[in-house]
Amino acid sequence: MDVGANAGLYTLFVRACAADAGIGLRAIAVDADPEMRARLAFNAAASGATDDILVLPYAAAGEDGPLRFAVNVASRGLSHVDPAGGLTVEGRTILSMLTEAGVTRLDAMKIDIEGHEFPALEVFLRDAPRALRPRLVICETSHE
């Protein structure tokens, strides 16, 4: 699972590594920014990966519901949940997203959501069954 997938380069890199190792991959790539999600979908299609990557249009959050989101047009990777943001997006818990996708086991997760990682992870780790707790979590913690 790639939470804050941006244009999907990390997801596509992991897919290529899995293919090189002869391992099947089903990935979930999540991004709340409509522009980045479009780029992600394009990159997945251009890579022949649409059957392997499910793209979800959410912002990871501590609870389901609408959130304000600030888009950084100069560097879209810095866009983030912000009460003063100009865009309303759908917030979903990580567990809610996994349930929607029908996932029963999660091996690894990358999360980079510009300062909102810990609130999203805290709720997920509190509520998720053991089988959904990944063995590997890569978490971005450096922000402006």
Side-chain angles (χ1 to χ4, degrees), residues 36-111:
M36 293 317 300
R37 213 169 40 257
R39 294 178 191 181
L40 167 60
F42 174 85
N43 288 339
S47 301
T50 53
D51 291 341
D52 301 330
I53 300 171
L54 173 63
V55 177
L56 295 178
Y58 306 123
E63 62 184 353
D64 292 352
L67 294 169
R68 301 300 295 170
F69 192 79
V71 174
N72 184 324
V73 294
S75 180
R76 292 192 94 96
L78 297 176
S79 300
H80 59 282
V81 171
D82 182 342
L87 183 65
T88 299
V89 299
E90 184 65 24
R92 298 286 296 272
T93 66
I94 294 169
L95 182 56
S96 178
M97 290 185 259
L98 292 171
T99 300
E100 175 183 326
V103 173
T104 57
R105 188 185 92 223
L106 184 63
D107 295 314
M109 176 191 304
K110 186 275 286 178
I111 184 167

